Amino acid sequence: MHSLTALHLARMQFAFTVGFHIVFPAFSIGLAAYLAVLEGLWLKTGRAVYLDLFKYWLRAFSIVFAMGVVSGLVMSYEFGTNWSQFSQKAGPILGPMLAYEVMTAFFLEAGFLGVMMFGLNRVGRGLHFAATCMVSIGTLISMSWILASNSWMQTPRGYVIDAATGRFLPDNWWQIVFNPSFPYRLVHMALAAFLCVAFVVGGVGAWHLLKARRQGHQPTDAVRTMFSMAMWMAAIVAPIQILAGDTQGLNTLKYQPAKIAAMEGDWVSESRAPELLFGIPDMKNETTHYKIGIPWVGSLILTHSLNGKVPGLKDYPKDQRAPSFIVFFSFRIMVAIGMLMALVGFFSLFLRWRGTFYTNKLLHRAALIMTPAGFVALLCGWITTEVGRQPFTVYGLLRTADSVSPISVPNMATSMTAFVIVYFIVFTAGLAILLRGFAEEPHQGQRGPDEHHPHRAAGLTQASHQPDMAE
């Protein structure tokens, strides 16, 4: 067994921190949009149930948003400490884009977050709704800049390389931002965020529906409403996500064929390629063991033609191949979960037609089990994307081994251990608070974050409560 190097530890540390981080922004993006929809429905219909749900999920948003910010700041430091060579060479491209993200999106979110969180009783309804929309738009803009940066690393365009320093210098910002994979990855990620929230909301609703049945009372209107909204979201968005994933697959085949070969576990390029449902890719012996596949379907899915040619890993030098074992399984887990999501959505439509939507235990149990499904699919998709890009940080141009900092193994191991300990303490506490909040049933007259709590101006002076304009 090879001993761990600083490069191995740097990659493990970044994978660990980004794995924690990506969950929270995705949850924030979907939840902010959900809050904007709830408040908009409340203003349009006047039904108090939408306001109750808004207040119920606003608490969760505050915790998730905070954990997302904290975990994201850590990654910024890692670029300087562990990946200084990458930062030096790709900094002229990625630095401005990350700065634009802060100036446009983060400031927008931070500027209106306080009004959204605590202003329901202090500003007009229209202004408060505008603040909620601004926070939601801010999360989407933030996601766009981050994905533009990451997509440039996948499909770099619009740059020149300085011959003296090897640095990537911007030549055409339009091509840099709107690089070939950006639009497809943006849509795929946005839909993934909405599905994450749909299944969390659906899971919480299903839990309270099952609990009400077990205790022999009727579920509240708020529980029924949020479960219904979540299942509508699953039924509509999950099939769209499958189509979006298909278009991204076509884009990846065009611009990153080596990644497709690793995802499919194919070693020899061929037409009428099968779609492997199972197999164990063996990088050392250049084969995939125990293959179970469907003839021709691989070509049909990847090229939309039975005679389409699918690339194989042997088309590329050994030192340019991504580890097929990891991306082969992460990709299939993601796809399988996506199919299950669509199946749950279609099943919910069938039960609505049958008139048993709120009484069918099978649907409620399935929705409860599927609560974390969106996050698992999201992480598997991210692993497929990032590991499939290896052995490059900037695809085809800058190797990961040439991107790491000249740092010792003990120092890297120490920071890795510290991150693991702190992350598990902080995020376990955050998860416990979220679960405790979800255990309470949303009800009529739901309290928001500002209800019956003192507030302070400048951190010192307690402000008096204002009359509740919302009630």
Side-chain angles (χ1 to χ4, degrees):
M1 180 178 178
H2 298 289
S3 59
L4 290 176
T5 64
L7 175 61
H8 292 137
L9 290 173
R11 291 182 63 183
M12 290 168 61
Q13 184 171 315
F14 194 77
F16 175 78
T17 51
V18 77
F20 266 93
H21 173 66
I22 191 173
V23 169
F24 299 112
F27 202 4
S28 298
I29 292 164
L31 200 50
Y34 180 52
L35 289 171
V37 170
L38 287 172
E39 189 170 7
L41 289 172
W42 170 57
L43 293 175
K44 181 175 178 59
T45 66
R47 291 184 59 194
V49 65
Y50 294 120
L51 179 60
D52 293 334
L53 286 175
F54 176 85
K55 292 179 178 178
Y56 182 82
W57 287 102
L58 189 58
R59 287 181 172 184
F61 179 84
S62 64
I63 298 168
V64 171
F65 186 85
M67 290 196 288
V69 171
V70 171
S71 56
L73 289 174
V74 171
M75 292 171 57
S76 300
Y77 286 105
E78 281 184 49
F79 283 122
T81 55
N82 298 354
W83 300 101
S84 60
Q85 298 303 312
F86 167 76
S87 299
Q88 183 183 29
K89 293 180 179 177
I93 301 286
L94 300 181
M97 285 202 280
L98 296 179
Y100 296 149
E101 188 254 343
V102 172
M103 288 189 294
T104 57
F106 193 72
F107 284 174
L108 189 66
E109 295 171 76
F112 288 96
L113 184 65
V115 179
M116 173 182 163
M117 291 294 303
F118 304 110
L120 190 59
N121 301 327
R122 291 172 169 76
V123 300
R125 293 180 177 184
L127 179 56
H128 189 271
F129 178 56
T132 304
C133 291
M134 288 299 104
V135 172
S136 178
I137 292 171
T139 61
L140 291 170
I141 294 175
S142 176
M143 177 187 66
S144 300
W145 282 115
I146 296 298
L147 281 181
S149 304
N150 187 268
S151 297
W152 181 84
M153 293 163 64
Q154 304 279 345
T155 52
R157 292 291 187 280
Y159 65 90
V160 293
I161 298 178
D162 181 67
T165 63
R167 303 181 79 192
F168 297 91
L169 303 178
D171 182 56
N172 185 322
W173 277 108
W174 183 265
Q175 291 182 7
I176 290 171
V177 175
F178 295 97
N179 58 79
S181 65
F182 170 60
Y184 303 92
R185 289 157 47 76
L186 178 65
V187 172
H188 202 43
M189 185 68 183
L191 294 175
F194 296 151
L195 282 174
C196 284
V197 170
F199 277 88
V200 170
V201 173
V204 174
W207 163 256
H208 288 295
L209 285 170
L210 292 167
K211 184 179 177 182
R213 175 193 292 272
R214 189 169 60 252
Q215 294 177 346
H217 63 80
Q218 291 296 319
T220 64
D221 190 24
V223 169
R224 293 161 63 95
T225 300
M226 73 177 182
F227 183 70
S228 176
M229 292 177 73
M231 290 299 101
W232 274 119
M233 196 71 177
I236 296 171
V237 176
I240 297 175
Q241 178 70 311
I242 293 172
L243 296 176
D246 178 65
T247 59
Q248 185 171 341
L250 295 175
N251 180 267
T252 306
L253 176 63
K254 182 176 181 180
Y255 294 100
Q256 295 178 291
K259 180 190 287 188
I260 287 290
M263 289 164 59
E264 294 300 314
D266 292 327
W267 292 91
V268 180
S269 60
E270 58 180 334
S271 301
R272 302 181 180 182
E275 175 62 26
L276 298 185
L277 302 179
F278 181 79
I280 300 179
D282 183 343
M283 297 294 291
K284 182 179 180 181
N285 295 308
E286 299 185 328
T287 186
T288 298
H289 303 290
Y290 312 113
K291 292 190 292 186
I292 301 175
I294 305 175
W296 297 4
V297 175
S299 290
L300 181 62
I301 292 176
L302 287 169
T303 67
H304 291 187
S305 168
L306 289 174
N307 296 317
K309 190 173 184 179
V310 176
L313 279 166
K314 289 184 179 178
D315 295 347
Y316 308 94
K318 287 186 176 181
D319 63 349
Q320 294 184 17
R321 299 173 185 171
S324 180
F325 183 88
I326 297 174
V327 295
F328 181 88
F329 283 103
S330 61
F331 174 69
R332 277 152 184 77
I333 293 171
M334 178 190 68
V335 172
I337 291 175
M339 296 292 182
L340 284 174
M341 287 176 164
L343 185 62
V344 169
F346 292 147
F347 186 47
S348 72
L349 293 178
F350 173 72
L351 295 180
R352 285 182 198 272
W353 175 70
R354 289 281 303 272
T356 57
F357 179 74
Y358 294 111
T359 57
N360 188 283
K361 287 193 293 185
L362 179 59
L363 174 64
H364 302 162
R365 287 171 177 169
L368 181 59
I369 293 171
M370 293 282 287
T371 302
F375 299 120
V376 177
L378 183 79
L379 288 171
C380 286
W382 194 253
I383 290 170
T384 303
T385 298
E386 299 306 305
V387 178
R389 183 185 53 191
Q390 296 302 318
F392 300 101
T393 47
V394 180
Y395 192 69
L397 298 170
L398 179 62
R399 287 183 170 273
T400 307
D402 297 327
S403 303
V404 72
S405 300
I407 191 170
S408 67
V409 171
N411 286 340
M412 195 76 78
T414 300
S415 61
M416 175 78 184
T417 304
F419 276 127
V420 170
I421 294 172
V422 172
Y423 268 53
F424 273 109
I425 293 174
V426 172
F427 294 109
T428 300
L431 181 61
I433 295 171
L434 279 175
L435 292 177
R436 188 174 63 180
F438 292 155
E440 297 177 3
E441 187 175 271
H443 53 78
Q444 187 176 4
Q446 180 76 41
R447 290 179 180 178
D450 62 338
E451 295 285 345
H452 307 294
H453 287 79
H455 303 288
R456 297 177 184 279
L460 296 173
T461 307
Q462 181 171 324
S464 61
H465 285 287
Q466 301 297 316
D468 192 345
M469 297 171 60
E471 295 181 349

